[in-house]
Every structure is written in structure tokens, then in C-alpha cells.
Amino acid sequence: GRVMTRDQVHYLVFDIDDTLFLERDYVRSGFQAVAVWVQARIGAANFFDHAWRAFEAGVRQNVFDAALADCGIDPEPGLIAALVRQYRAHRPRIELLPDALDSLRRLHGRVGLAALTDGPLESQRAKADALGLVRWLAPIVFTDALGPRSRKPALTGFRLIEDQMGGADALYAYVGDNPAKDFVGPNSLGWKTVRVRRPGSLHWAKDSGAGVDAEIQNLSGLVPALELSDASPAR
């Protein structure tokens, strides 16, 4: 095999949302699950349409309040809490984007592959399960499981990955989508950083800024971006 040089990445760590799949597909799936619950419990038939319209219009906080109000239902806190529980606990209908699956297939066995993701633990675990990530990535670090101050840009999860993979001296790259929080931590540890700027992703409009080594539109650009040797893995 090819000799690893100091500037060749040994370990690739992926964000999940809008990196391996489109977060809007999870949102849609969640709204559909909540709508089924609302119709069964309250009899309102058009919750999904109202919620999706609000989301498409850029509403990110209080979507459920707005959708219930549009259905003529009082969005009282107990009901909202129940809807959030349904949303986070639902089994999402999502799948790896084709470029993500192709990249994981090509890289698996050539470099170490892991994931680090923020977000409510229950929903992030459900996403990882639905996407079959355990087949490709280890460890899969859910920052929500590490304590309240462990979310990106905190270093906790990144250091945990170094401890579990190749130590602090190996070369890592973090692949994520959100310049506001994804790259500060890994940059400070000397990792390479790759911004995936997918059309249709939630943070698409944000500039990558100076703290990013490469910007790509999807993961088919990942191997060239990292100058990884593009040999097929040994069988």
C-alpha cells in the first residue's frame, strides 16, 4: 500500500445533517409523523401543509406553534412539548445521498471513517440508524451524550475521536456544512476542514469564510479536495 505521509489524511470525520443527507428530508419526515399524531389525537387534517409551508418560508423556531394556530388549535406548551417528543422519537424516512454513499464506499478501508454530530440525542441516533451509518463509521460521536457544554464548537467530541482513533499526532479532516460552528474546533486541533455547501441545505447561504481548507458542493469532490490517493481499496 501507499506510505502515509504527514500531509495525507489518515482519519475522516463527518458531520451528519446536510453532509451525508439533506436535513430538510428529516424535517419533512418528522412533520409527517407529527401530522399523523395530530390528526389522530385532535382531528386536524392539514397540520403537515401548514408546518411545511412555514418551514419553506424560513421559519425555524416555533414552527409547531404557527402550524397549530393555522389549524385553529391553541398552541399551548404541553401540546407543543408532546409534538416535539413525537418529532424527535419518530423513525425518519431518510437515506444517504448518492454522493455520500459513493464516497463512503470508496473510502471505507482506506482511511478511518467516523462521525461527530450535534443535536438532540434521540433524533440524531434515529438518523444514524435510518442511514445505516454503523456500517461505515466508527466511532459515531453524539455530542449531546457528552454533556451540556460539549456541542460544537467545543473540542470535547473531537478530542474523544482522537483518543479512540489515531491519537493527537495523526492527521484528521472534518467534513461539515455549517461555518458558524463546524470548523473552529477542528481547526484549533490542527485538523483539515472541508465545507460541503449543498444546494438545498439549511446553511447553504453562509460563506465558508477563512477557516476552511476546501469547499465542495457534494461529497464526490471530497477525494480531490483532500488530495487523497484515489486508488481502489485492496480486496
Side-chain angles (χ1 to χ4, degrees), residues 50-233:
H50 290 306
W52 188 247
R53 193 174 302 130
F55 178 80
E56 289 279 69
V59 179
R60 294 293 177 264
Q61 308 294 320
N62 308 321
V63 173
F64 292 164
D65 302 67
L68 286 175
D70 286 342
C71 292
I73 299 161
D74 176 29
E76 53 91 15
L79 178 55
I80 294 295
L83 298 196
V84 170
R85 278 197 300 277
Q86 294 299 317
Y87 181 83
R88 290 182 179 172
H90 92 281
R91 295 184 61 175
R93 294 197 297 269
I94 54 174
E95 53 190 35
L96 288 167
L97 287 160
D99 60 275
L101 180 57
D102 183 58
S103 289
L104 292 174
R105 279 191 177 129
R106 285 167 63 193
L107 292 163
H108 196 250
R110 286 177 47 206
V111 290
L113 300 176
L116 184 147
T117 178
D118 280 351
L121 183 57
E122 186 177 25
S123 57
Q124 296 311 104
R125 278 194 173 136
K127 290 172 187 175
D129 287 347
L131 296 171
L133 295 187
V134 72
R135 179 179 170 193
W136 306 105
L137 308 172
I140 298 170
V141 174
F142 303 99
T143 59
D144 204 40
L146 304 178
R149 288 198 289 275
S150 297
R151 290 192 164 195
K152 296 179 285 190
L155 298 180
T156 318
F158 296 102
R159 288 201 167 118
L160 182 67
I161 284 174
E162 288 186 341
D163 290 345
Q164 292 191 14
M165 295 193 86
D169 290 336
L171 191 58
Y172 300 80
Y174 189 61
V175 185
D177 69 294
N178 184 357
K181 64 171 184 173
D182 281 350
F183 306 118
V184 175
N187 278 338
S188 74
L189 293 175
W191 293 26
K192 290 193 177 296
T193 47
V194 180
R195 160 84 184 286
V196 186
R197 194 172 188 175
R198 292 185 179 282
S201 62
L202 302 192
H203 303 292
W204 182 82
K206 290 181 184 161
D207 277 338
S208 290
V212 170
D213 291 310
E215 179 185 298
I216 55 180
Q217 274 208 322
N218 62 59
L219 293 179
S220 59
L222 183 57
V223 171
L226 292 168
E227 297 176 343
L228 290 164
S229 64
D230 196 16
S232 300

Side-chain angles (χ1 to χ4, degrees), residues 32-48 73 83:
Q32 286 168 338
V34 171
V36 168
W37 190 91
V38 168
Q39 183 153 15
R41 298 299 189 292
I42 307 172
N46 49 358
F47 177 89
F48 173 82
I73 299 161
L83 298 196

Side-chain angles (χ1 to χ4, degrees), residues 20-41:
L20 298 177
F21 80 104
L22 278 179
E23 174 70 6
R24 61 186 284 114
D25 292 343
Y26 175 82
V27 173
R28 177 189 282 274
S29 170
F31 287 179
Q32 286 168 338
V34 171
V36 168
W37 190 91
V38 168
Q39 183 153 15
R41 298 299 189 292

Side-chain angles (χ1 to χ4, degrees), residues 2-21:
R2 175 174 158 159
V3 176
M4 287 282 185
T5 58
R6 182 64 189 90
D7 59 353
Q8 186 185 348
V9 171
H10 306 116
Y11 301 101
L12 268 180
V13 185
F14 293 91
D15 177 45
I16 296 178
D17 302 342
D18 276 339
T19 299
L20 298 177
F21 80 104

